[in-house]
Amino acid sequence: MNPFKGPGGYGRIVNGIMNIILCVVLSFYVLWTVQNLPGNEALPILTPLGFFVSFVTSFCVGEFVGDHVPALAWGQKLCDALRIKNRVARHFISVSILCLVMVCSISFICTWINNVQQTGMEGVMASWLMVLPVLLVSGYIIQLIMLPICFKIATAVSGFDPNKAPVPEGEVNAEMPVEPSV
């Protein structure tokens, strides 16, 4: 059985591609910011090894959150509750919920992992809040642009199209994000 075929494969592919792209950007920005803090200029922070470790950590967190938290479906349910029918508006709103969940989860957990022993929760919160605004904006733009592309790639590779999958009437398929036509 191929783990990249069918509905499960579709979800793995979307989650994997989005996490690779998102975690590259998050890791680079956080390391670049910390590297450029006064007093850190000479420290080996933004190095190939440092980037690799940061990427792996954030990717693992992102894969876990992406597999276990149906954030895109929450955004779709919010659109349903607000009776928003326009596909572009639904995409913008769904991605905002997805971004909020994914970027906050990945960045907070990684900041906690890397800082709690040395700085305590006060240091974790200060570090996290310092980078969070840029991470949210960049994460939103990345997900807004890349999510429809990831849906198309996942459909082609997995052979599964959530737009053609039967879903009981009145329900949102929380496991499979429906591809918006943007």
Side-chain angles (χ1 to χ4, degrees):
M1 177 176 223
N2 187 336
F4 296 106
K5 293 295 183 189
Y10 178 90
R12 273 184 214 94
I13 293 165
V14 170
N15 192 28
I17 295 170
M18 283 306 306
N19 273 304
I20 288 169
I21 297 165
L22 193 59
C23 292
V24 162
V25 172
L26 297 180
S27 295
F28 180 82
Y29 177 73
V30 169
L31 292 174
W32 179 83
T33 300
V34 174
Q35 181 72 67
N36 288 296
L37 289 174
N40 287 353
E41 299 87 15
L43 296 176
I45 296 170
L46 182 54
T47 64
L49 180 59
F51 176 79
F52 180 74
V53 169
S54 179
F55 172 78
V56 169
T57 305
S58 62
F59 183 79
C60 291
V61 172
E63 281 291 301
F64 181 83
V65 173
D67 278 347
H68 298 299
V69 180
L72 189 62
W74 291 347
Q76 293 169 347
K77 285 182 180 183
L78 175 62
C79 290
D80 291 341
L82 297 173
R83 295 188 171 102
I84 297 171
K85 303 290 182 202
N86 180 287
R87 287 185 178 269
V88 173
R90 289 180 68 86
H91 180 63
F92 275 74
I93 292 168
S94 294
V95 169
S96 67
I97 301 300
L98 177 65
C99 175
L100 191 64
V101 169
M102 293 302 291
V103 170
C104 287
S105 298
I106 293 168
S107 62
F108 179 77
I109 293 168
C110 290
T111 302
W112 183 83
I113 288 169
N114 290 314
N115 294 294
V116 73
Q117 287 182 313
Q118 292 181 346
T119 65
M121 278 309 290
E122 297 82 14
V124 168
M125 293 305 293
S127 298
W128 182 58
L129 293 173
M130 176 180 65
V131 295
L132 185 61
V134 172
L135 295 181
L136 284 171
V137 171
S138 60
Y140 182 73
I141 292 167
I142 289 166
Q143 291 175 331
L144 194 66
I145 294 167
M146 293 306 300
L147 196 58
I149 296 167
C150 290
F151 288 153
K152 288 181 186 354
I153 293 169
T155 298
V157 173
S158 71
F160 176 78
D161 186 348
N163 293 320
K164 296 178 182 169
V167 177
E169 192 171 319
E171 288 186 26
V172 173
N173 189 344
E175 296 298 317
M176 292 299 121
V178 176
E179 177 181 340
S181 297
V182 202

